[in-house]
Amino acid sequence: MSVYDLSALNKRFAIANQLEFKEGPGGLTVAEVTNAHAAATIALQGGTVMTFQPRGQEPVLWLSKFAKFVPGKSIRGGNPVCWPWFGPHPTDANMPTHGFARTIPWEVHRSEVLAGGKTQISLKLVENDTTKAQWPHSSEVQIIITTGPELRVELITRNTGETSFLIGDAFHTYFQVSDIRQVSIHGLEGCPFLDRLDQSKRNIQEGPVMISAETDRIYLSATSDCLIEDLKLKRRIRIAKKGSRSTVVWNPWIEKAAKMGDFGENGYLGMVCVETANAAEDVVRILPGGEHRLQATFSVEPLP
Ligand code: TA6
């Protein structure tokens, strides 16, 4: 049962031949974007971009064929939003991993066509008693999603209260690759990282990141673009970012993926998470009246 009124949404925010609100998988309400540049699907639950495919390209985001589209559960794939913390809650293990933003309904705030025919939609987080109990601060959160030749996502957190607060935030982005064993991730060379599979021991990245086992790392002071080089698809996915000092690289590999129950057989082979984040020591303090903007742009380049 959807919490949204589809006809009212389409009356206010639909854009002819570009943007329409529909009932998506599992009855979740989605915004369907199609324009001259690309197609995208955005779940209003969590403000999660589920799919993004530039014209003439393979999908850029990975979405599990076994994702469970149910209210209150994060979608396995696409671009889930981690907020107001990343990973386990810093002090209370009963709190939801990666915060609550990715599992609750967001409301549509604005939609428009930008110069050059890009489609932009803005959503606002709608808190409830449960989230207020988990996050007793006055804040406003907005996500702006722009679909063009590249996908741009921007998460804006405003402190509307009288006291400062710390947030961890991330775009927990799942990228589609041909075969994770034949992919290299560039842009993290020389960065320190916390190995979350080894008591968060600190290491330094030497050379590009190659994945041949479960990998779960938080790279710190990582502000450069990352490039996922996919020889088989003859493409590079560029992850450009602003307002992010951490990059998380994650692939669950065989056993972990099997335990998660929504990866399916060999799902781990076709994906890698390269997450635009502020995590661990990179969490962000926002002063009263201040704001923080986390921005990522995903684009595809041909490999020579
Ligand atoms: O970003 C990597 C990570 O923190 C992993 O430790 C793993 O838990 C992954 O996120 C997925 O978390 P989820 O709660 O979406 O199953």
Side-chain angles (χ1 to χ4, degrees), residues 27-224:
L28 293 184
T29 301
V30 298
E32 220 167 64
V33 176
T34 52
N35 60 39
H37 306 294
T41 313
I42 301 156
L44 299 192
Q45 171 173 290
T48 305
V49 183
M50 292 163 49
T51 68
F52 169 61
Q53 185 167 11
R55 299 256 172 253
Q57 291 285 348
E58 291 293 312
V60 173
L61 302 183
W62 178 84
L63 182 66
S64 173
K65 294 184 181 62
F66 300 86
K68 296 181 176 63
F69 300 97
V70 295
K73 175 151 174 58
S74 63
I75 295 167
R76 183 65 66 201
N79 186 60
V81 174
C82 303
W83 187 93
W85 58 85
F86 178 87
H89 185 277
T91 56
D92 182 344
N94 297 316
M95 300 281 212
T97 306
H98 292 321
F100 50 76
R102 62 180 182 161
T103 58
I104 64 173
W106 293 51
E107 72 181 7
V108 183
H109 172 60
R110 187 175 40 83
S111 64
E112 62 181 299
V113 180
L114 302 184
K118 296 179 185 177
T119 312
Q120 187 172 85
I121 183 169
S122 163
L123 308 176
K124 282 193 170 180
L125 181 71
V126 181
E127 290 212 50
N128 56 48
D129 294 346
T130 306
T131 63
K132 286 189 178 106
Q134 297 176 354
W135 176 249
H137 303 286
S138 302
S139 56
E140 278 176 8
V141 187
Q142 181 182 12
I143 188 166
I144 303 173
I145 302 161
T146 308
T147 304
E150 68 284 316
L151 177 71
R152 171 165 296 184
V153 284
E154 183 170 35
L155 184 73
I156 306 165
T157 302
R158 294 187 179 91
N159 182 341
T160 54
E162 309 291 318
T163 55
S164 73
F165 54 64
L166 278 172
I167 61 159
D169 56 3
F171 295 123
H172 195 294
T173 320
Y174 292 74
F175 292 97
Q176 179 152 321
V177 296
S178 57
D179 180 337
I180 189 60
R181 298 166 298 192
Q182 301 179 38
V183 155
S184 54
I185 300 164
H186 303 256
L188 296 165
E189 294 81 352
C191 286
F193 68 87
L194 306 177
D195 184 345
R196 299 182 72 205
L197 303 176
D198 185 9
Q199 286 100 33
S200 287
K201 200 190 304 176
R202 194 178 280 254
N203 284 301
I204 299 285
Q205 181 59 40
E206 292 174 14
V209 181
M210 313 290 287
I211 294 178
S212 55
E214 181 181 356
T215 304
D216 191 350
R217 300 174 181 173
I218 300 177
Y219 288 85
L220 302 166
S221 311
T223 53
S224 304

Side-chain angles (χ1 to χ4, degrees), residues 282-293:
D282 288 334
V283 292
V284 177
R285 180 169 294 282
I286 308 179
L287 300 177
E291 69 173 34
H292 169 67
R293 289 172 179 256

